[in-house]
Amino acid sequence: MAEDLCKEALKRFAAQFGGDKPANIAAFAPGRVNLIGEHTDYNDGFVFPMAIEYGTVIVGLRNDTGKCAVLTCADVGDEPNLAEFDAPKDDKPLEPGEPKWANYVKGVIDQFDNGKGIVPGFNAVVMSNVPLGSGLSSSASLEVATLFFIEQLCPDAEERTESERALLCQQAEHKFAGVKCGIMDQFISVMGKAGQGLLLDCRPPYSPRLIKLDNPNVVFLICNTKVRHELASGEYNKRRETCKAAAEKMAKPSLRDASIHDLEMKKSVLAPDEYCRARHVITEGNRVIVSIQSIQVGDYKKFGQLMKQSHTSLKDDYQVSCAELDKVVELALQIQGVYGSRMTGGGFGGCSVTLVEKSFLQRTMDKILSGYPNAEFFVSSPGDGAKVIDLTTLGV
Ligand code: GLA
């Protein structure tokens, strides 16, 4: 799939920059679906995402002009699809600006370059089959693909570990996109493995653990509501602040260190929203641990129950769901072969994820469409993480 996307991107590259100087570097990084453990990552807690077989490719060529030209093939609304900016110099680092979509690319270049002026000018084309802003980590896949691309452009730069790569991309998003995201999306995009989910402890040193997800009789169905509410990134940063305040009032380094007992003991010093947000984070952390035990013994019924509890908690305590997500979750849960369903990702729109017996997949999609005709579905096995694509093997 990455290879097909890459071939398309190569055609666009030739059309945009001329066929006489073809791209010679390419990288792919996947999006992800989080199975359980939502809004726990920036609270030092546990998450359990899997990489999907959809992602972003970037193809390009060094141009020795000191300028970078990046074309995105995505629908970026009113913004131009071509971003042009000077390559960073030691006395003139990159800055975020317009078009906004390019800030993910520029942010990664800036973090990689780190004031050294080592990243040269280049031409590139970005192509993705992860729907933008859908909660499937289109941004992390763009960041990680960019990093794997820039690493090839600068082969003499220091080697980074997988964790360092994920952290670099997270910093890019904090500094250039203004979203104080956690570490889950970048980690899974770097570290995903086919047939496996990733149990990640988001407290350094992170201790990632791959968990087999290879039962051919069950699938995770992703349903895109295709709505994205404007408040998403502002509310996201606000949730993060509220969690921090709650942890401080409870005299804990982070909410990961708090139990439900601690929470009840401190209820009187917490504002009502701090109490509810903390209750979600604490109960969600517990759900991740139990969900891993259940998936390892094939207890999908239990895993499904935990997904349902997760959705209710995100809706009522964390208040990051919305009517459209509640609707597609509720419709899915009406089908007998569905074990569980929940919103996935940051929320306020985007996608749900549903664990369903394969033989009930079509019926589940039909049911969702009957009550929510705008739904768009993705079915994906757990995919591999980011990789360099060797263009000589593509046969183009
Ligand atoms: C977004 C962020 C992640 C994580 C999720 C919610 O995807 O990028 O770091 O916080 O929201 O679980």
Side-chain angles (χ1 to χ4, degrees), residues 32 34 37-42 137 181-185 236 345-346:
R32 61 99 188 94
N34 190 19
E38 216 66 81
H39 289 278
T40 46
D41 61 351
Y42 52 85
S137 278
C181 61
I183 191 58
M184 162 171 73
D185 306 346
Y236 183 92

Side-chain angles (χ1 to χ4, degrees), residues 247-264:
E248 269 163 25
K249 287 192 187 170
M250 292 168 75
K252 299 285 179 191
S254 76
L255 288 181
R256 187 253 179 81
D257 304 294
S259 65
I260 281 293
H261 177 72
D262 297 329
L263 181 72
E264 294 307 328

Side-chain angles (χ1 to χ4, degrees), residues 355-390:
L355 177 59
V356 55
E357 286 281 343
K358 200 170 209 165
S359 50
F360 285 87
L361 180 61
Q362 191 57 49
R363 235 176 288 178
T364 309
M365 295 195 282
D366 292 345
K367 183 75 197 177
I368 295 176
L369 279 174
S370 72
Y372 192 84
N374 214 16
E376 174 190 29
F377 299 108
F378 296 86
V379 180
S380 172
S381 301
D384 275 321
K387 61 179 180 186
V388 162
I389 299 178
D390 178 357

